[in-house]
Amino acid sequence: MRLREIPITAWVGLFGIALALFCALFAPWISPYGETEVVGNVWQEADAQFFFGLDNLGRDILSRLIFGARTTLIVALAATVISFSLGIILSFTAAVSGGLLDTVFSRFNDLMMSIPTLIFALVVLAVLPQHLIVLILVMAILDSTRVYRLGRAVALDVAVMEFVEAAKLRGEGKIWIIFREILPNTLSPLLAEFGLRFAFAILFLSTLSFLGLGIQPPTADWGGMVKDNKDGIIFGIPAALVPGTAIAALAVCVNLVVDWLLKRTSSLKGGRGDA
């Protein structure tokens, strides 16, 4: 692949993701002030010293935005990886096995999907301890239901193809069929879904933090920053708009890259490569 073949929209998305990753990795070194350091008056306007101004407690918004990138990306990426791993393994197993196992898994997944995700998450997080691991697992389990539905659909399409039937006749086990026959031939839709799930995880985490059940203060995250500064909008203070814009921009950047990768992988021929 040549660099000049990458469209401008993909470059924009890659730049946005790279900028967020850079902030997440080097937050303590590039941030002007500490994550919880009070440096001035409440909701002080932006100036040469404070690029985005100060928040509701007098903390530098730029510094908290940089630290918030690390928290938001780590939690969203961890939840997406876990949800995808769980959803793909269960869905592919159900598609290959069929019968009672497929029925039980699918009906349980339908039951989980029938419950509104946000309400389910709020109830569970209100009961369980406020811990980062708990938050990641709850997000991952709820999101895995969507991954399961897509994974089962694409796996069923591939499972009836001749090369899969040939593998079964050779006596290959289910693990071989899943990882050597089905998975390589479903990468295109799964890749697109991973990007969409990651973008959704960012938005979902921000929503939970805005409602007070996501990342707990004083740790900075973008959704929590919107919640902390939402009252300033009434007085014309744009402090809540900065993290809100960051959330929207990162979600758009992820989708731009996913669209490019989907178009690129869709042009490739299917089929499993040689072992």
Side-chain angles (χ1 to χ4, degrees):
M1 181 187 62
R2 298 177 180 178
L3 294 180
R4 63 183 180 183
E5 296 177 354
I6 301 177
I8 185 63
T9 54
W11 278 117
V12 172
L14 290 171
F15 175 78
I17 296 174
L19 180 61
L21 289 175
F22 178 79
C23 292
L25 293 173
F26 301 102
W29 295 278
I30 64 176
S31 176
Y33 301 96
E35 183 178 7
T36 60
E37 182 181 357
V38 177
V39 294
N41 298 323
V42 173
W43 282 331
Q44 183 174 324
E45 295 183 359
D47 54 26
Q49 183 179 3
F50 307 113
F51 189 76
F52 289 130
L54 304 183
D55 67 0
N56 63 316
L57 296 179
R59 299 168 296 187
D60 180 45
I61 293 178
L62 176 59
S63 299
R64 288 184 61 78
L65 194 69
I66 293 173
F67 278 99
R70 178 169 57 179
T71 305
T72 302
L73 288 179
I74 289 176
V75 174
L77 183 60
T80 305
V81 170
I82 295 174
S83 69
F84 235 76
S85 301
L86 180 62
I88 292 302
I89 290 175
L90 293 180
S91 63
F92 281 18
T93 302
V96 172
S97 301
L100 181 61
L101 183 65
D102 183 24
T103 301
V104 172
F105 280 4
S106 299
R107 298 296 77 79
F108 180 76
N109 188 74
D110 292 340
L111 175 63
M112 292 289 292
M113 291 189 67
S114 67
I115 305 174
T117 304
L118 181 58
I119 296 177
F120 199 160
L122 292 176
V123 172
V124 173
L125 291 174
V127 174
L128 297 177
Q130 297 292 327
H131 195 278
L132 193 61
I133 300 298
V134 174
L135 175 62
I136 293 174
L137 290 177
V138 169
M139 291 177 58
I141 292 173
L142 292 177
D143 206 31
S144 65
T145 58
R146 274 69 183 172
V147 179
Y148 178 93
R149 171 165 287 187
L150 175 68
R152 180 176 178 273
V154 297
L156 286 175
D157 289 338
V158 177
V160 297
M161 293 185 177
E162 294 180 355
F163 58 87
V164 177
E165 295 296 332
K168 292 180 180 179
L169 293 175
R170 292 198 310 267
E172 305 291 357
K174 293 180 180 179
I175 296 179
W176 171 279
I177 294 174
I178 289 174
F179 289 102
R180 298 301 301 273
E181 303 290 353
I182 297 180
L183 183 60
N185 290 280
T186 56
L187 284 179
S188 179
L190 293 180
L191 180 63
E193 183 68 10
F194 183 88
L196 294 177
R197 290 296 100 198
F198 177 60
F200 176 80
I202 294 173
L203 299 175
F204 191 48
L205 173 62
S206 301
T207 302
L208 292 176
S209 297
F210 182 82
L211 296 175
L213 290 175
I215 305 298
Q216 298 301 306
T219 303
D221 85 294
W222 294 346
M225 291 176 64
V226 175
K227 173 193 175 185
D228 293 339
N229 296 282
K230 67 182 187 302
D231 294 335
I233 298 177
I234 301 175
F235 306 103
I237 307 295
L241 301 181
V242 176
T245 302
I247 295 170
L250 183 57
V252 170
C253 288
V254 171
N255 281 300
L256 289 175
V257 175
V258 168
D259 288 342
W260 165 60
L261 291 176
L262 180 59
K263 291 178 181 178
R264 183 171 180 270
T265 53
S266 296
S267 65
L268 301 178
K269 295 181 179 180
R272 177 178 63 85
D274 295 333

